[in-house]
Amino acid sequence: TINCQVAATAATQFVLQSRAAAAASDLSPLSAVKTLGYATPGDGGGATFVKGTTAAMTGTTSTELIALVSSQRIYVTREKCNNSHATVDTLVQIRDGSAGTVLDTLVAGKAYSGEQGTGATPLFWTTAGTALYAQNVTTGASVICTASGYSG
């Protein structure tokens, strides 16, 4: 069962009754989903769905992928990077903060090639209160990354 609440801003927020209900639903078009029925955010209960997408990255500047959630970790369950440049390959580092620890490295080959990681449990997580960033290793590629997961 999905309950719908309309906030004062007229934005729609869905509240799912369990992690199983969330796993069985297509949450990709939603910006906020909170699951209930679990004692701790790390188990999926009381957690809020988060997602983000970069603009096309052509240099090696670190780019925010998912905005920080105040005092919360971001648990990443899906990440994907694609490169639209015709001739330049690159690796993409997924970072804990703008210049923080590299949490993962994805291949973003030329001509719309890329790599993704998905998991039922988190692939990795950020330090509490820290945003998730993506950074090309090579200048000249044109990479867009997306990621999603939950905060808690």
Side-chain angles (χ1 to χ4, degrees), residues 42-119:
D43 290 336
T48 300
F49 177 73
V50 293
K51 66 177 182 175
T53 302
T54 65
M57 301 181 298
T58 58
T60 57
T61 301
S62 191
T63 303
E64 187 175 278
L65 180 51
I66 298 178
L68 70 86
V69 180
S70 182
S71 302
Q72 302 287 310
R73 294 180 187 271
I74 298 170
Y75 296 91
V76 177
T77 56
R78 181 181 178 278
E79 60 179 342
K80 180 179 178 181
C81 293
N82 283 331
N83 180 6
S84 64
H85 196 279
T87 60
V88 178
D89 297 322
T90 191
L91 296 174
V92 179
Q93 296 175 333
I94 306 299
R95 294 183 167 269
D96 182 15
S98 179
T101 303
V102 175
L103 301 171
D104 200 2
T105 301
L106 301 174
V107 175
K110 62 184 178 260
Y112 294 96
S113 182
E115 184 178 10
Q116 72 175 5
T118 48

Side-chain angles (χ1 to χ4, degrees), residues 12-51:
T12 301
Q13 181 180 21
F14 293 94
V15 178
L16 301 171
Q17 297 305 312
S18 69
R19 188 172 181 177
S25 302
D26 178 11
L27 304 177
S28 61
L30 305 176
S31 63
V33 175
K34 185 171 186 174
T35 59
L36 307 173
Y38 288 85
T40 63
D43 290 336
T48 300
F49 177 73
V50 293
K51 66 177 182 175

